[in-house]
Amino acid sequence: DTDINIQHDGCLNVWKITNGNRYLDTGRLLSEYFGTKQLLLREIQFISEFEGIVLRFMYEVSEDDLLAYAFYNKKEYIPDAGITLNATIQNLDSEVLAGKEFTIYKGDSEIIFGLNKKIKKKGTYSAEISGAGPYTSKAEFTFQYIFNSINKGAFIKNKTPVYSGIYNGSIIKNAKAKRRYHCVAKGSGWYRIKFSDGTTGYIKKNNNISLSDSAIGNVVNIYDSKYSYADMSRDIKKMAKIYQDVMELSVLASTADNNKVYCARLGNAGAKKKIIIHSAMHAREWLNSQLVMKMLERCCKYYYSEKYNGVLYSNLFKNVCFYIIPMFNPDGVNISQYGLAKIKSKSLRNIVRRFGKGRYSRWKANARGVDLNRNFSVGFRKDTARGTKRGSEGYSGPYACSERETKAFVNLVNRIKPKAVINYHEAGRVIYYTRSSALLNLVRQKTGYRTVRESISGANGSLGDYLTRKGIAWCTPETCSGTAPVSHSQFYYEWRKHRDMLPAVAKLYR
């Protein structure tokens, strides 16, 4: 047996010849093969803890290498088959920590070797290549942390390419302008971002990318004294685009006047604990839409940076998912704010004109003249004096869940099976409930409102009756004082009471 050792640039290459005399001219074979230096490791380059190392050969793999490989393995020479090699990583105690079989082809000069979790401490490791006959090649590399793990939002000002890696990475997609992405690590010149589907990519650091919350302007205008369906629709769609890393927007229903009942999902979609928050079920109570929208925006904007009782929002929302409906009754809100002007359907305008009698601002029902908070199945009262006629309030509807808005809400409840529901109404600064719960105690503590218990036996088709029958914790905080529609000046007082309601509820149920 003969060992031939070749040492160069810190790489040790060994060719062990057994029964070398069986070859006609072993010396010439070795001389010609090593003369090309094709399969000698030239260097090992550490890329990062995420991408691993590059095993780089002296030159590109040639046809001579493929022929030699086939000769030593006594296989038929197939030019497109390539050379199958083994790579192993060892620590200085010769403990094998990782192994991988890979194939290199004609024209290749390097391969990338990913590192597993066993290789996670800074230090020196040895990489060895084997499999080309009795040939081995090994060299050392130093593992280090190139990236610092972070949990931030990366706001992209203009379209930016996303790469598959920092080493010879190809562009896999573009990060869209005016969007925020979840940034999980940063290194010298690079950010590593994670997409909603769990995949990752890399973007180069430049002035086009900001990790600061202040880079994103406010969406909801708290000084808008008449926050309309058009305002809400515009804002919630804009927020869904900007905060696509934490928020997802859906449409629960299209109303009789072809407006949308939007639902924003915030938090972990896979969480077992789901919470529903909605407002403006009654049309004239539209100030709450602005309040709930601002609560949603605050949680989205400061998702990675703000804390509630010492816990980051991002951690609070890991085990809880919110379904937020800012405007349950958009048709009715249009009527309360603009009378007949915003109603597109002629038949609906006739209904509103007939029953509104010019006093549109006090309208509570939807555009079909049905009070949505009397349209649920539990305790539905079609035969009550007030519930038999269409009008601005009180009419239960032709049958239980006759309205698109009600059906959509019931479908949502049946689909996600919420742990709790908060029904925002106006006014009086009280909290209605039927059964005591941790949710009730929390909302009372946050707001300071007095509580009013409703009789379970007095069911009248309200949402509360339906939720009680389903065994779902709920409460109805009636914000503001006076009679709806209330003055916009009350918004600022209510904002101070409710701004932390979402993280507080998340902490309660996490």
Side-chain angles (χ1 to χ4, degrees):
D1 291 355
T2 302
D3 286 351
I4 297 178
N5 299 299
I6 297 179
Q7 182 79 36
H8 67 93
D9 296 334
C11 294
L12 175 64
N13 298 272
V14 181
W15 189 300
K16 187 176 183 67
I17 298 299
T18 303
N19 298 323
N21 59 1
R22 66 178 172 167
Y23 301 116
L24 294 176
D25 191 346
T26 302
R28 185 172 64 84
L29 174 65
L30 294 176
S31 176
E32 290 181 0
Y33 187 72
F34 280 114
T36 62
K37 299 180 182 177
Q38 308 279 331
L39 284 178
L40 301 183
L41 276 176
R42 175 164 62 88
E43 65 175 336
I44 296 180
Q45 177 185 343
F46 180 77
I47 309 173
S48 75
E49 61 268 41
F50 299 118
E51 291 183 74
I53 58 177
V54 174
L55 305 175
R56 189 171 291 116
F57 303 103
M58 291 296 291
Y59 300 102
E60 292 180 355
V61 173
S62 69
E63 190 171 2
D64 287 340
D65 296 305
L66 301 178
L67 282 166
Y69 176 74
F71 175 75
Y72 278 107
N73 287 278
K74 298 180 181 180
K75 292 182 178 180
E76 179 184 359
Y77 170 59
I78 303 175
D80 296 332
I83 298 175
T84 300
L85 300 174
N86 295 301
T88 57
I89 305 294
Q90 301 177 357
N91 58 22
L92 295 184
D93 295 326
S94 299
E95 178 187 3
V96 176
L97 302 177
K100 176 183 178 181
E101 184 179 85
F102 61 92
T103 302
I104 56 175
Y105 300 92
K106 182 178 177 180
D108 290 346
S109 62
E110 63 185 34
I111 59 112
I112 294 180
F113 188 99
L115 304 179
N116 63 27
K117 293 181 179 179
K118 290 184 179 180
I119 307 172
K120 58 184 178 181
K121 294 181 180 179
K122 291 183 179 180
T124 302
Y125 297 83
S126 173
E128 179 175 300
I129 299 292
S130 62
Y135 167 81
T136 64
S137 183
K138 66 171 61 175
E140 294 181 347
F141 70 94
T142 301
F143 176 83
Q144 55 189 312
Y145 292 102
I146 303 297
F147 284 86
N148 293 318
S149 295
I150 61 174
N151 184 34
K152 295 279 188 180
F155 181 65
I156 309 298
K157 299 174 186 176
N158 299 295
K159 186 172 71 172
T160 300
V162 180
Y163 295 87
S164 58
I166 65 174
Y167 180 79
N168 290 342
S170 59
I171 297 176
I172 54 176
K173 63 176 71 177
N174 285 305
K176 296 181 180 179
K178 304 285 191 293
R179 304 287 195 279
R180 192 182 67 184
Y181 294 85
H182 185 195
C183 184
V184 295
K186 66 176 180 178
S188 178
W190 292 89
Y191 292 119
R192 188 173 192 239
I193 59 175
K194 186 175 183 180
F195 298 98
S196 56
D197 62 1
T199 61
T200 57
Y202 299 84
I203 53 179
K204 294 179 179 179
K205 284 185 179 179
N206 55 55
N207 294 331
N208 188 43
I209 304 161
S210 176
L211 300 185
S212 172
D213 296 330
S214 61
I216 308 175
N218 292 327
V219 176
V220 179
N221 180 9
I222 64 173
Y223 304 107
D224 185 349
S225 60
K226 185 184 282 189
Y227 195 72
S228 66
Y229 168 71
D231 295 329
M232 184 279 301
S233 179
R234 177 199 64 225
D235 289 351
I236 202 166
K237 286 186 283 188
K238 185 175 181 179
M239 285 166 56
K241 288 181 179 180
I242 295 174
Y243 301 113
Q244 48 87 43
D245 54 332
V246 298
M247 172 184 161
E248 184 174 293
L249 184 63
S250 63
V251 175
L252 294 186
S254 292
T255 65
D257 203 35
N258 201 31
N259 293 312
K260 308 299 182 186
V261 180
Y262 289 107
C263 179
R265 191 184 72 196
L266 174 68
N268 179 8
K272 292 182 179 179
K273 297 175 181 178
K274 312 284 200 306
I275 313 295
I276 297 177
I277 294 181
H278 73 89
S279 64
M281 176 179 280
H282 284 149
R284 66 194 188 194
E285 299 166 15
W286 43 263
L287 185 71
N288 281 338
S289 292
Q290 190 176 25
L291 181 66
V292 169
M293 281 290 290
K294 195 63 183 177
M295 290 159 56
L296 172 61
E297 182 183 17
R298 176 177 171 76
C299 287
C300 289
K301 184 171 184 176
Y302 301 109
Y303 191 87
Y304 302 107
S305 60
E306 191 73 18
K307 294 180 179 180
Y308 178 77
N309 284 358
V311 183
L312 281 169
Y313 284 5
S314 57
N315 289 330
L316 287 174
F317 290 109
K318 277 184 179 179
N319 299 314
V320 182
C321 187
F322 283 85
Y323 291 77
I324 300 170
I325 308 168
M327 194 172 285
F328 196 104
N329 181 9
D331 290 358
V333 170
N334 276 340
I335 295 168
S336 176
Q337 291 181 334
Y338 299 102
L340 301 176
K342 296 288 184 177
I343 302 299
K344 300 181 282 289
S345 165
K346 182 178 179 181
S347 61
L348 293 176
R349 281 199 303 271
N350 290 335
I351 291 174
V352 175
R353 182 184 293 110
R354 177 182 176 186
F355 298 107
K357 300 177 181 179
R359 299 187 296 272
Y360 301 120
S361 66
R362 297 273 297 151
W363 190 273
K364 290 179 68 176
N366 67 3
R368 282 168 33 89
V370 177
D371 189 328
L372 298 177
N373 205 29
R374 295 294 179 267
N375 191 234
F376 290 87
S377 57
V378 178
F380 180 78
R381 297 180 178 182
K382 183 178 178 181
D383 58 347
T384 58
R386 195 177 188 184
T388 55
K389 297 181 180 179
R390 295 183 188 274
S392 64
E393 62 180 288
Y395 175 51
S396 303
Y399 52 88
C401 296
S402 61
E403 305 308 292
R404 302 180 188 186
E405 301 91 336
T406 314
K407 286 179 184 176
F409 191 91
V410 169
N411 289 339
L412 177 64
V413 168
N414 290 334
R415 176 166 59 88
I416 70 171
K417 297 176 175 54
K419 188 76 174 178
V421 178
I422 298 181
N423 316 307
Y424 272 99
H425 280 262
E426 300 169 23
R429 293 185 179 141
V430 299
I431 307 171
Y432 291 102
Y433 73 102
T434 53
R435 293 184 177 132
S436 296
S437 65
L439 176 70
L440 172 66
N441 294 335
L442 174 67
V443 175
R444 177 173 53 194
Q445 177 187 358
K446 297 293 294 180
T447 63
Y449 296 170
R450 65 185 178 89
T451 56
V452 177
R453 185 166 189 168
E454 295 185 325
S455 171
I456 298 175
S457 61
N460 58 5
S462 72
L463 174 57
D465 297 328
Y466 169 75
L467 295 174
T468 299
R469 178 69 61 84
K470 297 281 286 187
I472 299 170
W474 67 273
C475 67
T476 299
E478 299 263 359
T479 66
C480 305
S481 62
T483 304
V486 301
S487 167
H488 181 265
S489 61
Q490 296 197 52
F491 175 88
Y492 311 102
Y493 174 87
E494 298 301 333
W495 172 243
R496 289 194 296 271
K497 298 286 187 180
H498 295 268
R499 56 177 283 176
D500 292 328
M501 189 63 74
L502 295 184
V505 174
K507 189 173 187 298
L508 176 67
Y509 287 103
R510 68 190 286 258

